[in-house]
């Protein structure tokens, strides 16, 4: 095993963080000036080396397994360097591992400095990053060059130490998922660039027009200046939002309430939203590769406790469903020629896992028998029994069909096929079905009555009175003792951890240990 760590030129406006590794290495500014190697060569002899990539003893590590901290970056850099270094090929993917992903799996910081501190007790000095920012290696003083070399070796040593100490804590299955994450990014996704460029032109125009309607811009203040907004609101006698952030519910409500009456409020709204969309489209352009794709960047274990992937740079996991200002981000992504997109999802995975964790075997058996989840919940706790149908009643109803009711023929045939069984809850009582859905998706996780009202509206389209919300919450908790018992188990574990060492450790069914 050998740790491989590349160092490359970077600057504020030119970095992997805002371009992704593929666009970064294809940029004319790309300059990989150093590689540090640390480990055992193919003969099993321990060695360390640092210097220019062209001079590195690549032949000594041919056939070795490689490990890097942020392997995606190092692998893309290496692929670029192979165009000029023909003495060795990179290891096959199953033999190049990523300690950044290992650290994330163990719930340590993803960055090397933080991971080394938490998992190894090492203090790594990253001061050299300040020295190298915006400066090529040949521009540095000799003592700065030596500092960069030593820092590269220290990083490679730390990477190797992380692997040797903790790779046994990382299951083979999870290691494979880490490698697949790189393969997905490397394959990328195709983009309709005409749609992107046309949308960007329109969004830039709308953004500029909105800016002309914001009065304080003429004074040199930013369009989203909180101070300027407060001063203007004070002048007009209307409240000002505490934040202008894109995810601020208060700001959205402020725009909705005052947008029509006050031109500047509407202009701020349009400027803010078009600016967000503009930046996303420009990010896609910066990430464009020579084959017309952008990398499908996902961050393995991006969510620390759940281990769920998160999106990186352009978040492909959170694209708006609706068009904005005539631009649909979702429609900008297209299948490769001759291919199609498949839309796949795990049906109600969270409540199904909840049923497993709390031991609700009866509900799980219903699910195994093909009963839809919300209907199974209604059968178990909401009094739904299903309604037997008589074929004669259906036949009479279908016989009375007129021309204006032919659109219902499909539904009637579906009901007829169930004539000897039971009507589905969704068809027989849509409101009860919607309420069951809201209960399952909200109350299983401890929603209060006030929160449940919002959940029911958003997820099930129900407008519930506060009294009905309170009654529903009480009934749910009374009729689902297995779920409330699970809450109690967690509450006691948290209380005990808070009382003692402030540390809670939970072993998941998969065997993964989660630290809180």
């Amino acid at each position: 095993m050998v740790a491989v760590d590349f160092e490359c030129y970077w600057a504020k406006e030119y970095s992997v963080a805002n371009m992704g590794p593929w666009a970064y290495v294809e940029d004319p500014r790309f300059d990989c000036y150093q590689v540090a190697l640390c480990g055992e060569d193919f003969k099993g002899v321990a060695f360390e080396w640092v210097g220019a990539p062209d001079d590195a003893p690549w032949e000594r590590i041919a056939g070795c397994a490689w490990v890097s901290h942020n392997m995606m970056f190092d692998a893309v850099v290496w692929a670029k360097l192979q165009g000029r270094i023909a003495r060795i090929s990179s290891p096959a993917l199953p033999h190049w591992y990523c300690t950044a992903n290992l650290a994330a799996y163990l719930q340590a910081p993803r960055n090397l400095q933080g991971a080394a501190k938490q998992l190894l007790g090492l203090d790594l000095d990253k001061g050299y990053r300040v020295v190298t920012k915006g400066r090529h290696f040949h521009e540095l003083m000799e003592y700065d060059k030596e500092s960069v070399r030593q820092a590269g070796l220290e990083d490679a040593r730390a990477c190797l130490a992380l692997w040797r100490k903790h790779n046994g804590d990382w299951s083979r299955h999870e290691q494979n998922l880490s490698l697949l994450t790189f393969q997905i990014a490397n394959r990328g996704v195709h983009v309709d660039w005409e749609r992107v460029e046309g949308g960007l032109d329109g969004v830039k125009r709308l953004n500029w027009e909105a800016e002309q309607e914001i009065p304080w811009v003429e004074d040199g203040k930013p369009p989203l200046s909180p101070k300027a907004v407060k001063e203007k609101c004070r002048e007009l006698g209307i409240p000002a939002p505490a934040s202008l952030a894109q995810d601020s519910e208060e700001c959205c409500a402020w725009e909705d309430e005052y947008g029509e009456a006050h031109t500047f409020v509407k202009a701020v709204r349009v400027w803010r939203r078009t600016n967000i969309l503009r930046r996303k489209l420009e990010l896609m352009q910066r990430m464009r590769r020579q084959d017309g794709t952008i990398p499908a960047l996902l961050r393995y274990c991006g969510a620390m406790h759940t281990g769920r992937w998160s999106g990186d740079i352009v978040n492909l996991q959170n694209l708006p469903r609706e068009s904005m200002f005539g631009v649909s981000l979702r429609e900008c992504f297209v299948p490769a020629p001759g291919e199609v997109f498949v839309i796949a999802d795990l049906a109600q995975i969270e409540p199904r896992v909840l049923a497993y964790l709390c031991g609700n075997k009866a509900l799980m058996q219903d699910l195994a028998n093909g009963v839809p989840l919300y209907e199974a919940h209604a059968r178990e706790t909401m009094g739904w029994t299903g309604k037997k149908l008589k074929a004669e009643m259906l036949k009479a109803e279908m016989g009375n069909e007129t021309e204006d009711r032919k659109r219902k023929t499909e539904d009637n045939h579906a009901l007829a096929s169930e004539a000897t069984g039971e009507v589905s809850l969704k068809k027989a009582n849509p409101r009860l079905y919607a309420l069951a859905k809201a209960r399952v998706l909200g109350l299983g996780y401890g929603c209060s009555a006030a929160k449940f009202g919002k959940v029911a509206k958003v997820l099930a389209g129900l407008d519930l009175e506060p009294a009905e919300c309170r009654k529903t919450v009480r009934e749910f908790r009374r009729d689902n003792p297995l779920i409330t018992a699970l809450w109690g188990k967690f509450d006691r574990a948290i209380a005990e951890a808070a009382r003692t060492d402030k540390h809670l450790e939970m072993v998941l069914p998969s065997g993964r240990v989660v630290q809180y």
Side-chain angles (χ1 to χ4, degrees), residues 214 216 221-231 244:
I214 301 175
W216 54 85
K221 297 175 184 177
L224 298 185
S225 166
K227 183 178 179 181
V229 170
K230 288 177 182 177
E231 290 175 352
L244 294 173

Side-chain angles (χ1 to χ4, degrees), residues 389-462:
L389 296 177
K390 293 183 178 180
E392 293 78 11
M393 292 171 61
L394 281 176
K395 186 175 180 181
E397 181 180 341
M398 294 173 67
N400 293 330
E401 187 179 74
T402 58
E403 284 295 317
D404 63 333
R405 293 177 61 203
K406 284 187 176 179
R407 64 182 183 278
K408 297 181 180 179
T409 299
E410 201 170 307
D411 286 341
N412 286 334
H413 281 299
L415 287 171
S417 69
E418 299 172 357
T420 59
E422 297 176 341
V423 184
S424 72
L425 172 61
K426 190 172 184 179
K427 291 176 181 175
N429 194 332
R431 189 184 186 281
L432 185 64
Y433 177 86
L435 183 59
K437 178 178 180 180
R439 285 164 55 108
V440 167
L441 298 181
L443 298 185
Y445 310 98
C447 266
S448 66
K451 181 68 174 178
F452 178 64
K454 297 177 182 178
V455 169
K457 177 65 175 176
V458 172
L459 297 182
L462 293 173

